Amino acid sequence: MFKRTRLKTALAAALLLCAGAAHAAELVVSAAASLTNAFKELAHSFEQQNPGVQVITNFGASDILMQQIVRGAPADVFASADQAAMDKAVAEKAVNPATRKNFAANQIVLIVPHDGKLQPAGLADLSQPGYRRIALGNPASVPFGRYTKAALESAGLWQQVSAKAVMAENVRTSLDYVARGEVDAGFVFATDAAVIPDKVKVAVRIPSAAPATYPIAVTAGSRQKELADKFIGHVLSPAGQAVLARYGFLKP
């Protein structure tokens, strides 16, 4: 009886060790909120190609993720929705600049609720009294907010529109505000608008002098530098680029 109990205990311990070995290598990828759907798929395909690796994804506003990494939050890969957030990460020595690469591009669009009564023909319409609440990103903390401000400033509309702003913590929050009809219109990336076409519709595509490009890099504190570099290679590969294209991202 004692031997049998000991055998069961040994078997249980062996199973636990095997289970731990199955996910012995964890790769933490912190990525911009607009990359959520595409990077979840890329993480899954990377795991399939690399048995024993578990990719843990962390999505949010690029500036917030950058600050988390600077403060010591675990991360192996950082993917930003604009160059400014990555520039800050480089300045703070939070990423290895030699690994920095552009992997995608996007476009800012103005969206409205799918069943909404207001349908702006251009940005100038947002100054009309019918538009009372407009979802924006804070230019100080989110890339899509910076792109939006630049476009509105170029059109001479920033002061008028920002006075009606409902600030969103990230692009998916802005999308949710519009989808739930809590605002009359909102700004998001084109790829986010495509996620729920039954709830929102694109009213205006915003031309931009500065392309909305996405950089990616290995973090300075990564404990999985080889895997992190391999993941970036996966994102840049033809297969990875095909996934991004399927979600509406453009080539960098």
Side-chain angles (χ1 to χ4, degrees):
M1 189 68 168
F2 176 69
K3 287 183 178 180
R4 186 177 297 177
T5 302
R6 238 181 3 179
L7 179 60
K8 286 182 179 179
T9 303
L11 284 171
L15 287 171
L16 284 171
L17 284 171
C18 289
H23 293 301
E26 290 185 344
L27 186 72
V28 181
V29 177
S30 288
S34 53
L35 294 165
T36 300
N37 299 71
F39 263 44
K40 281 183 177 179
E41 184 171 333
L42 286 169
H44 179 66
S45 57
F46 187 76
E47 288 176 341
Q48 289 183 318
Q49 293 174 20
N50 298 273
V53 174
Q54 181 183 19
V55 180
I56 300 170
T57 49
N58 176 32
F59 300 106
S62 298
D63 291 55
I64 301 300
L65 296 175
M66 180 274 298
Q67 290 167 9
Q68 290 174 353
I69 295 169
V70 168
R71 292 170 184 164
D76 301 293
V77 176
F78 175 46
S80 168
D82 77 346
Q83 301 298 330
M86 187 61 79
D87 288 344
K88 292 176 186 175
V90 171
E92 293 285 350
K93 296 181 171 52
V95 298
N96 178 356
T99 65
R100 178 176 179 171
K101 294 179 177 67
N102 292 336
F103 67 94
N106 215 332
Q107 181 184 27
I108 291 292
V109 296
L110 176 66
I111 59 173
V112 293
H114 200 276
D115 56 356
K117 296 178 181 179
L118 297 171
Q119 182 69 30
L123 290 178
D125 288 355
L126 297 179
S127 61
Q128 296 176 2
Y131 294 91
R132 294 175 297 175
R133 293 165 61 83
I134 301 168
L136 298 173
N138 187 339
S141 59
V142 287
F144 90 97
R146 290 191 278 270
Y147 291 126
T148 299
K149 182 181 180 181
L152 289 171
E153 283 183 332
S154 179
L157 295 166
W158 172 246
Q159 294 300 328
Q160 293 168 282
V161 175
S162 61
K164 306 177 181 184
V166 176
M167 290 296 180
E169 63 181 17
N170 61 57
V171 71
R172 287 301 172 93
T173 305
S174 184
L175 179 67
D176 288 342
Y177 285 158
V178 179
R180 294 196 296 260
E182 295 176 3
V183 294
D184 301 306
F187 291 90
V188 296
F189 284 118
T191 51
D192 297 291
V195 172
I196 46 175
D198 57 323
K199 294 183 179 179
V200 303
K201 55 185 175 183
V202 175
V204 182
R205 291 188 175 272
I206 314 299
S208 174
T213 52
Y214 286 56
I216 190 169
V218 178
T219 65
S222 172
R223 296 181 180 179
Q224 301 285 358
K225 286 182 168 56
E226 287 185 14
L227 267 180
D229 195 57
K230 194 173 183 181
F231 181 83
I232 291 176
H234 180 60
V235 172
L236 291 166
S237 71
Q241 289 293 296
V243 169
L244 288 161
R246 193 162 65 250
Y247 284 98
F249 288 93
L250 307 171
K251 288 192 175 296

